[in-house]
Amino acid sequence: MKKEGLAAANAWARRPSHEPFKPGTEQRNHVRQVRLEPDFASWRDAARELLCADIPPDRVVFVPHGLEHALLPNFLESIDVQPRSTPLRVPREFVKVAEAVACHTDEGNWATMYRVLWRLTHGEPHLLRVTIDDDVRALLAMEKQVRFDAHKMKAFVRFRLARGGGPAPGEERAAGEHYIAYHRSEHRVLKMTAPFFVRRFGVMRWSILTPFDSAFWDGEKLTFGPGVSRDAAPKDDELEALWRTYYASIFNPARVKLKAMHKEMPRRYWSTMPETQLIPELLLQAPRRAREMVAAHTDRVAGARAFFPATITLPQLREAAMSCRGCDLYCNATQTVFGEGPADAHAALVAEQPGDNEDLAGRPFVGPAGEVLNAALREVGLDRSQLYISGAVKHFKFEQRGTRRIHAKPNARQVQACRPWIEAELRLVRPRVLVLLGATAAQSLIGRHFKLTRDRGQPFESEWSPWTIATFHPSALLRIPDPALRARAQSQFVSDLRQAADRLALAQ
């Protein structure tokens, strides 16, 4: 359709100059060039006339006012508009989408809007629900881009102080203050977002300049003007230092994710945001600042280390752990569940935390998860009595539901507070083979970057053992509802333990 329309347009442009244009019913065979202002109201008025004249999308070329590459003169005024026998009915949802798409800078937005409108009013009233349709997909993609750009304008506009002429005698100093911001938007979103700035900064006089248009607020009235270049805005002022100080104070080095940052704060906006000048230096300082934050937090929260005995042996650690108050989990748990097994064990298993049965018994893996583990150990030929078995967290965290206590995952602060216990255990045992059961145990000892879904079953050397492997927690197998998936996971669990058993046999 689009190629046919352009071909017809070029044919009309090459017609002999003496050939007159004939209005009337035969107009339907010609391509109509429609000049319009680049806004929704102008397109809406043109679209209404085109629909009333029953002119299909492939016979219309929309040309925003001011473009020099127009092919045809404007024939919209020559259309013989006939009253429709039935009124136009347009879904309210389309109007909302079209108002946003009208702000898009792609010149094809007007034609896409008209094609969808034509189809909505010519037998496809539910077209917008068909999101796999090419026209609908293009329309919704442009709407998404416009709304994203509008969101970024609200987030990234930075006003700079520009005093014009200064206050008159007897007036307050603020009377001569005017704030100007330049924002490099991708689309014509200023009119969409200007009311937001009026609500938020209504007490001050300001101007927002963009390449497409400008907005001016004098404290009472909002007006719009043409777009300007970056040179029209002030370069800096005393507010820049304030912005940089504020940004540096809220910058969290522990949450730095470069890909996410560049997605949320694209570089095209950086030149008008004073705080972005700090980002390279802040990124270099991030590792050191993250360590300082952890150290400061450790100082505020006692953690397990505050309860360590003077002499570090497994029996003394076990006794000291019984009175640990390093986090709040001890408040509701029945007792501490410490590790058990030979101090010279060649293999160690570390899980997340005790469950309901373990909390009552004071020993690891004595409930249903313990039965799964015991069966798997027997299958691969490992003697449980020869293994050291412990947990990353020593107290049971749960949610009370009636008479039942339901397992709840410990948060990062609780895992961090309890970590010194398991670190001390592993340093004393020094296992040749270490099996981490579940993501919490693996992330506690290896780091938050560890992903069980990605790294399960892959042996590696760790700080705690020359041969370390992570696998499922036995309780996770019990929670898989699908029998086939549960059987597959059980097989993988046994296979991982068999790797550990084979490695242990080689090491002995």
Side-chain angles (χ1 to χ4, degrees):
M1 288 293 187
K2 189 173 182 180
K3 290 183 179 179
E4 292 174 3
L6 291 175
N10 290 325
W12 173 256
R14 293 193 298 268
R15 79 192 192 289
S17 59
H18 63 272
E19 181 181 334
F21 173 71
K22 301 177 181 180
T25 57
E26 65 272 17
Q27 287 192 58
R28 207 174 190 282
N29 297 322
H30 295 290
V31 174
R32 308 301 190 272
Q33 177 181 349
V34 180
R35 293 182 183 273
L36 46 76
E37 296 295 331
D39 58 44
F40 175 74
S42 179
W43 174 87
R44 178 194 58 204
D45 295 342
R48 283 174 176 169
E49 293 194 48
L50 291 167
L51 284 176
C52 289
D54 201 28
I55 298 179
D58 61 330
R59 298 300 177 186
V60 179
V61 174
F62 290 97
V63 180
H65 178 71
L67 294 185
E68 298 178 354
H69 60 276
L71 297 174
L72 306 172
N74 184 7
F75 293 139
L76 182 59
E77 295 179 356
S78 301
I79 292 176
D80 184 15
V81 178
Q82 301 293 332
R84 290 178 60 91
S85 57
T86 57
L88 287 173
R89 296 187 180 277
V90 181
R92 184 178 302 176
E93 180 185 2
F94 171 77
V95 176
K96 182 179 178 182
V97 172
E99 287 176 339
V101 176
C103 300
H104 204 283
T105 51
D106 187 333
E107 296 175 17
N109 62 336
W110 314 108
T112 302
M113 292 159 61
Y114 187 62
R115 282 198 304 273
V116 173
L117 177 62
W118 176 272
R119 294 173 63 185
L120 286 169
T121 56
H122 286 74
E124 298 182 73
H126 305 297
L127 176 61
L128 291 180
R129 300 178 187 175
V130 187
T131 55
I132 61 173
D133 180 88
D134 289 344
D135 287 337
V136 175
R137 186 169 65 248
L139 189 76
L140 297 181
M142 285 189 284
E143 181 203 22
K144 182 178 180 181
Q145 291 163 1
V146 167
R147 297 200 183 282
F148 178 83
D149 199 36
H151 170 71
K152 294 307 175 187
M153 175 174 280
K154 294 177 183 178
F156 296 149
V157 159
R158 298 290 183 264
F159 287 105
R160 292 173 169 86
L161 181 61
R163 295 189 183 90
E171 292 184 357
E172 294 294 332
R173 184 172 183 268
E177 292 181 348
H178 190 93
Y179 294 86
I180 301 179
Y182 187 84
H183 182 73
R184 189 174 284 108
S185 58
E186 278 197 276
H187 306 289
R188 296 180 291 269
V189 296
L190 181 56
K191 290 183 180 179
M192 289 178 59
T193 59
F196 164 82
F197 292 101
V198 170
R199 293 191 301 270
R200 189 165 186 179
F201 302 104
V203 297
M204 64 189 215
R205 296 189 302 126
W206 50 258
S207 301
I208 299 177
L209 315 178
T210 78
F212 307 106
D213 49 10
S214 303
F216 309 94
W217 172 253
D218 62 4
E220 296 181 359
K221 183 180 179 181
L222 179 66
T223 56
F224 295 93
V228 297
S229 66
R230 176 69 179 86
D231 296 336
K235 299 296 186 294
D236 52 40
D237 72 341
E238 59 263 36
L239 293 181
E240 298 248 342
L242 178 63
W243 273 114
R244 285 192 288 266
T245 301
Y246 170 73
Y247 186 78
S249 67
I250 65 171
F251 183 81
N252 187 345
R255 293 182 177 271
V256 172
K257 294 182 179 180
L258 291 179
K259 289 184 178 180
M261 183 182 72
H262 288 147
K263 180 180 179 181
E264 293 300 319
M265 188 190 295
R267 282 189 173 272
R268 63 176 176 272
Y269 300 120
W270 285 27
S271 62
T272 58
M273 299 173 62
E275 66 270 29
T276 56
Q277 300 171 19
L278 300 175
I279 289 179
E281 182 180 355
L282 290 173
L283 291 176
L284 289 175
Q285 298 175 357
R288 175 182 58 80
R289 292 182 61 186
R291 290 193 297 270
E292 291 174 352
M293 290 173 61
V294 172
H297 172 74
T298 303
D299 290 341
R300 292 194 302 270
V301 180
R305 197 167 300 281
F307 299 88
F308 267 37
T311 304
I312 307 297
T313 64
L314 280 179
Q316 289 172 320
L317 283 175
R318 183 191 308 275
E319 182 178 354
M322 299 304 164
S323 59
C324 181
R325 302 294 184 266
C327 71
D328 58 346
L329 292 185
Y330 78 93
C331 299
N332 297 318
T334 304
Q335 59 188 311
T336 301
V337 180
F338 204 74
E340 67 175 23
D344 58 351
H346 295 303
L349 276 62
V350 177
E352 178 191 274
Q353 67 162 352
D356 184 47
N357 291 278
E358 289 76 13
D359 175 70
L360 297 175
R363 295 183 57 219
F365 284 109
V366 295
E371 295 176 4
V372 173
L373 176 63
N374 293 338
L377 292 176
R378 287 193 296 269
E379 186 172 347
V380 301
L382 286 175
D383 184 354
R384 172 169 173 161
S385 66
Q386 299 302 310
L387 307 176
Y388 189 84
I389 302 177
S390 190
V393 175
K394 306 303 184 186
H395 288 107
F396 179 37
K397 182 176 182 179
F398 60 90
E399 295 178 2
Q400 192 75 44
R401 296 182 187 175
T403 58
R404 299 179 61 199
R405 300 192 301 174
I406 305 301
H407 166 275
K409 184 178 179 180
N411 59 41
R413 182 174 300 178
Q414 292 159 343
V415 173
Q416 179 69 22
C418 206
R419 183 176 175 178
W421 293 122
I422 188 61
E423 288 182 343
E425 291 173 89
L426 292 177
R427 286 195 180 99
L428 290 170
V429 176
R430 300 175 64 185
R432 299 179 184 178
V433 171
L434 175 61
V435 180
L436 305 174
L437 303 174
T440 298
Q443 292 176 359
S444 171
L445 291 171
I446 306 304
R448 294 180 62 183
H449 64 278
F450 191 93
K451 301 295 182 185
L452 189 64
T453 53
R454 180 191 64 202
D455 303 320
R456 182 206 61 79
Q458 301 180 24
F460 59 95
E461 183 178 356
S462 70
E463 178 183 356
W464 317 106
S465 175
W467 196 92
T468 304
I469 193 171
T471 187
F472 302 111
H473 193 287
S475 63
L477 303 176
L478 296 172
R479 292 193 295 268
I480 300 176
D482 184 85
L485 293 178
R486 184 168 59 250
R488 179 183 177 186
Q490 175 73 26
S491 175
Q492 293 173 332
F493 177 66
V494 172
S495 175
D496 295 338
L497 290 181
R498 182 169 285 111
Q499 284 193 72
D502 293 343
R503 178 66 183 186
L504 186 59
L506 291 174
Q508 289 179 336

